[in-house]
């Protein structure tokens, strides 16, 4: 079969070229025991400039325990080098579970008659946002099924406006990321104008054949329309886009290589790689039996995937949700994850009201409150961060990437993490979390390299304790 791979092409079948993926997996398998090659690739990754999909595939096949440990410890080190030890917090906000698509792994699929369908009114969105603000969240990812009648773009835009316009006590949502269906360049432009942070769209699987089987009906069944969505988002002016696959739908090797090819494509065509990569795994939900997916990814492979993505695209934020258990989250936080959700509800209206799991898009494994997650992160030596500074300072797209690639973004992340954590501790934390958080801030303040930034951060921390809010670098 002809390999017509072209990473700069605008055609889905050329930048995610099936033959190139098959060749890559074959090449990696042939070199599975090639220690020298794996060592060479790990040394290249240590430079922090990334890996090609082919190099990453070789590391994915490597079974040597010593080399695996090297991969894991390098992932840890790169995360630290680029972002410091902050972990950014966010929460999903489900707006509507109406959906015209037929995705076989999602309970919102159009044919599911078990779940009540609901679209939040603006008043209900305000209530959800207040509940989220009262937990301490500053950054949301809005989620909605695809339904031109129940959630057209005008509804999404109004929702974004409502979210940014809602303020309760010291609360404010400072960054709204958007996870909605693939749409047109004009609609992406409208989202950009509405002030969104990252546009997130999961590919689910890059294998066209399997994609079409798993998406039998609705607009999402068009593989090219879905796969080329990030190109249209970029053309619409959104320069921070978030990729992801649903690991376990099909072969993880195929999807790992496809994901990295997608990142290479964005870099080649637009000069900016993905801002974030999410790593969800298939899990049970209403009308969905995870056992029906024999390719479900076990924990050890999942950890390897996370570490390899960190090595391959070191400048990209990596996100994990509450689908994963506390134990797995703890492990992958050490392997390169830089953003996690906390206190999440995955049902429409789930923050203001305590709804049953019946309406949830997926089962949550980590059911702890945000305060418990913050306390746990502090215990593990991470700095929980509520920072949203980059997008508000215009550090998006290539401006962000230039800083991240020069290893300079941590200079902003560290003081911003401390200041936003201080806000959280003052306004929302329980007494024990506040106490240990204050100790962490005192310790970590000393780790700010620049004398000027350290002094300024110290002054601002004092001002936050006196009641001032929203400082940023
Ligand atoms: Fe709809 Fe998204 Fe669920 Fe598919 S995955 S059924 S598009 S909500
Ligand atoms: Fe994220 Fe930028 Fe804040 Fe760092 S400074 S945590 S990259 S928003």
């Amino acid at each position: 079969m002809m390999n017509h791979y072209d990473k700069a092409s605008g055609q889905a079948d050329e930048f995610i070229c099936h033959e190139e993926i098959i060749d890559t997996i074959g090449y990696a398998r042939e070199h599975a025991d090639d220690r020298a090659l794996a060592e060479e690739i790990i040394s290249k990754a240590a430079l922090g400039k990334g890996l090609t999909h082919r190099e990453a595939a070789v590391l994915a096949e490597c079974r040597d325990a010593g080399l695996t440990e090297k991969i894991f410890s390098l992932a840890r080190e790169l995360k630290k080098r680029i972002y410091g030890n902050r972990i950014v917090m966010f929460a999903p906000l489900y707006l509507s579970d109406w959906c015209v698509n037929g995705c076989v792994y999602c309970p919102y699929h159009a044919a599911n008659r078990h779940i009540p369908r609901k679209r939040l009114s603006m008043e209900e969105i305000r209530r959800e946002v207040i509940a989220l603000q009262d937990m301490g969240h500053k950054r949301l990812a809005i989620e909605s099924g695809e339904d031109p009648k129940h959630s057209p773009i005008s509804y999404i835009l109004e929702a974004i406006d409502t979210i940014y316009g809602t303020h309760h006590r010291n609360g404010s949502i400072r960054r709204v990321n958007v996870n909605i269906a693939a749409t047109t360049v004009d609609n992406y432009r409208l989202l950009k104008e509405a002030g969104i942070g990252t546009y997130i769209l999961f590919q689910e699987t890059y294998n066209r054949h399997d994609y079409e089987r798993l998406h039998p009906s609705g607009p999402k069944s068009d593989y090219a329309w879905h796969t080329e969505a990030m190109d249209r988002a970029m053309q619409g002016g959104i320069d921070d886009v978030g990729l992801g696959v649903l690991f376990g739908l099909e072969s993880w090797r195929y999807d790992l290589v496809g994901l990295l090819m997608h990142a290479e494509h964005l870099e080649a065509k637009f000069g900016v790689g993905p801002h974030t990569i999410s790593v969800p795994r298939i899990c049970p939900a209403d009308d969905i039996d995870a056992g029906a997916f024999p390719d479900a990814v076990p924990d050890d492979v999942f950890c390897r995937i996370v570490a390899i993505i960190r090595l391959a695209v070191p400048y990209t934020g990596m996100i994990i949700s509450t689908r994963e258990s506390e134990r797995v989250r703890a492990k992958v936080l050490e392997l390169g994850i830089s953003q996690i959700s906390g206190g999440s509800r995955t049902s429409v209206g789930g923050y203001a009201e305590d709804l049953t799991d019946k309406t949830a898009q997926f089962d949550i494994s980590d059911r702890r409150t945000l305060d418990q997650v913050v306390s746990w992160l502090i215990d593990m030596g991470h700095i929980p961060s509520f920072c949203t500074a980059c997008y508000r300072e215009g550090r998006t797209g290539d401006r962000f990437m230039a800083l991240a690639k020069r290893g300079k973004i941590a200079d902003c992340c560290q003081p911003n993490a401390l200041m936003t954590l201080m806000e959280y501790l003052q306004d929302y934390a329980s007494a024990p979390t506040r106490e240990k958080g204050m100790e962490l801030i005192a310790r970590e303040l000393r780790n700010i390299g620049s004398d000027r930034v350290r002094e300024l951060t110290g002054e601002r921390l004092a001002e936050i304790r006196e009641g001032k809010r929203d400082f940023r670098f």
Side-chain angles (χ1 to χ4, degrees), residues 94 96-110 117 144-146 179 181 204 215 220 226 246 361:
Y94 282 74
S96 169
D97 60 6
W98 287 96
C99 193
V100 296
N101 289 308
C103 315
V104 303
Y105 49 83
C106 172
Y108 293 175
H109 67 81
R117 300 286 172 172
S144 173
E146 178 170 17
N179 183 354
E204 323 296 8
H215 304 93
K220 192 169 168 182
H226 190 80
L246 187 48
Q361 195 194 23

Side-chain angles (χ1 to χ4, degrees), residues 125-127 129-131 133-134 137-138 160-175 392 428 470:
I125 291 175
R126 255 185 290 278
R127 283 209 290 275
V129 169
I130 287 172
Q133 288 178 358
D134 284 349
H137 279 294
K138 301 282 187 256
I160 294 168
D161 204 45
T162 302
I163 295 167
Y164 280 134
T166 300
H167 300 279
H168 183 244
R169 303 209 176 97
N170 279 340
S172 62
I173 298 303
R174 298 171 180 161
R175 178 175 178 133
R392 298 165 79 217
Y428 307 106
D470 203 11

